[in-house]
Amino acid sequence: MERSQWISSLKNYEVGDSGKSLFQLFLTLISYTVLISAMFFLVYTGKPYWISLLLAVPTAGFHIKTFIIMHDCGHNSYFRNPRACTLVGRICGLITFTPYYDWRRSHAIHHASVSNLEKRGIGDVWTMTVEEYRASSIFKKIIYRIFRNPVFLFGIAPIFLFLIIMRFPHGNMNKKDWKSILLTDLMLGICIMALSLVFGFSVILKVILPIAFLSTMGGVWLFYVQHQFENVYWAHSTAWNLEKAALNGSSYYKLPALINWFSGNIGLHHIHHLDSRIPNYNLRKCFGEIPQVKDIIPITMIKSLKLAFLNLWDEKTGKLINFRALRKI
């Protein structure tokens, strides 16, 4: 089968099934509510804090799943009705500290420009080429090295992004994006004040921060591996190709079944970028029924660990390299 034919066949997996979507939505939100309520109870009643921290792990998993549902709503793939997608997306955005409209706009830009060297900077991980790095000032090199350090990139930046940076308007925004940020901040403020009156602010911090830290770190790590691997495709606008960007600029991250469920099969990222209208629960079915999407070399969890230390895109070799390799070229 020619490439155009099997890519066209992806449309058979598009658009959500209302029954599956509602079941997944209610299972996720009810489970998240029960778990976070249990954490509030444990902390408020003075039970050993380590018990609450243990519960933070599955709670963070459902927090990531909530973000995945919002993500699908942002692509209008979760329900057939766009209004239903918007409503659910905004609710899930509030739960995940994400201004829905602003995130949806930047994510759409990401899909339209992924792997395009001239269109970096929105909805992606800051990546410099070897030549750009060499031509940079010492100050910019230091900032870039700090940013690409795994401790900062996965331990500090994620929670700072979702809890702080997303609270403020920024450049290149339309009126709807501004309202999205301000309304999300207002609703979060109301929720925090209400919970503070019942439990106290210190209890909120002890419950929310571990969940936020684990879920944002996990989410950023998944996104990183999806587009930051050794043989990832990058090209200048004149040579850039959308299909190549999807198939070679997005990875197949092979994950255990449980993590696949919590992450909405997002490890099948090459399929998602080929057709973003496929809801998360259809990605696995698509992968099983279309042989051509299996031609991508998978990245296993063990192999993915070394990706955290890749830093620069080398145009000459077409590969991401680390700072140590820079000295040899």
Side-chain angles (χ1 to χ4, degrees):
M1 185 184 298
E2 294 183 1
R3 175 176 285 193
S4 60
Q5 291 179 308
W6 69 259
I7 288 180
S8 295
S9 70
L10 295 174
K11 293 185 180 297
N12 297 327
Y13 304 89
E14 287 182 358
V15 187
D17 178 292
S18 295
K20 291 181 179 179
S21 294
L22 287 172
F23 176 77
Q24 186 183 82
L25 175 65
F26 288 129
L27 175 62
T28 299
L29 295 186
I30 290 172
S31 299
Y32 178 76
T33 301
V34 169
L35 285 167
I36 199 170
S37 297
M39 290 179 67
F40 270 108
F41 173 78
L42 290 168
V43 175
Y44 184 68
T45 56
K47 299 297 188 293
Y49 188 48
W50 64 267
I51 302 177
S52 179
L53 289 178
L54 286 178
L55 282 181
V57 177
T59 309
F62 284 107
H63 201 239
I64 292 174
K65 187 71 170 185
T66 303
F67 187 91
I68 289 294
I69 293 172
M70 183 202 73
H71 166 268
D72 280 9
C73 288
H75 287 293
N76 283 326
S77 66
Y78 205 63
F79 296 106
R80 293 180 183 274
N81 188 330
R83 290 185 177 181
C85 285
T86 297
L87 175 61
V88 172
R90 293 175 70 177
I91 293 171
C92 292
L94 179 62
I95 294 171
T96 55
F97 323 117
T98 307
Y100 176 69
Y101 287 116
D102 181 51
W103 174 86
R104 186 176 68 176
R105 177 189 60 82
S106 65
H107 191 65
I109 293 173
H110 162 70
H111 269 262
S113 61
V114 63
S115 296
N116 189 318
L117 288 168
E118 273 72 50
K119 296 183 179 180
R120 287 168 288 171
I122 299 179
D124 57 9
V125 177
W126 183 21
T127 306
M128 295 178 70
T129 67
V130 168
E131 295 306 315
E132 287 170 344
Y133 180 79
R134 282 176 168 166
S136 296
S137 65
I138 294 177
F139 178 75
K140 189 172 183 179
K141 288 179 179 178
I142 292 173
I143 295 299
Y144 187 72
R145 280 180 174 268
I146 292 173
F147 178 82
R148 298 291 298 208
N149 185 287
V151 174
F152 178 85
L153 190 55
F154 306 113
I156 299 173
I159 197 166
F160 187 74
L161 170 65
F162 280 86
L163 297 190
I164 306 298
I165 294 178
M166 284 190 178
R167 305 283 67 80
F168 298 97
H170 49 86
N172 301 318
M173 297 178 64
N174 57 38
K175 192 174 181 179
K176 183 179 286 188
D177 297 336
W178 275 77
K179 287 183 177 179
S180 176
I181 291 176
L182 295 177
L183 183 59
T184 301
D185 291 351
L186 176 62
M187 295 303 296
L188 285 174
I190 292 172
C191 291
I192 290 172
M193 285 190 290
L195 289 171
S196 294
L197 291 174
V198 177
F199 299 104
F201 188 66
S202 63
V203 172
I204 295 175
L205 291 178
K206 289 180 179 179
V207 171
I208 296 298
L209 286 182
I211 298 171
F213 176 77
L214 291 173
S215 63
T216 58
M217 179 176 65
V220 168
W221 172 254
L222 286 170
F223 183 77
Y224 179 89
V225 174
Q226 288 156 10
H227 298 290
Q228 299 277 319
F229 49 97
E230 187 176 12
N231 294 307
V232 64
Y233 167 84
W234 284 89
H236 290 283
S237 294
T238 53
W240 183 82
N241 178 277
L242 183 60
E243 289 182 9
K244 284 186 177 180
L247 288 169
N248 305 118
S250 306
S251 68
Y252 164 31
Y253 194 12
K254 192 173 183 180
L255 297 165
L258 183 62
I259 298 179
N260 270 329
W261 188 87
F262 278 115
S263 63
N265 297 306
I266 203 65
L268 297 169
H269 211 61
H270 60 304
I271 301 177
H272 172 63
H273 269 266
L274 280 171
D275 191 338
S276 61
R277 294 275 289 169
I278 300 176
N280 69 83
Y281 47 76
N282 280 348
L283 288 171
R284 179 58 56 181
K285 181 181 180 183
C286 175
F287 182 78
E289 295 179 353
I290 299 182
Q292 289 83 354
V293 299
K294 297 179 181 180
D295 291 340
I296 304 297
I297 298 175
I299 298 173
T300 64
M301 288 190 69
I302 297 298
K303 290 181 179 179
S304 71
L305 296 178
K306 72 175 184 179
L307 303 184
F309 302 96
L310 298 180
N311 315 109
L312 297 162
W313 169 251
D314 184 3
E315 291 191 60
K316 293 180 180 179
T317 62
K319 294 184 177 183
L320 274 178
I321 64 171
N322 55 36
F323 289 121
R324 189 185 310 166
L326 180 64
R327 302 169 191 164
K328 302 177 182 179
I329 60 176

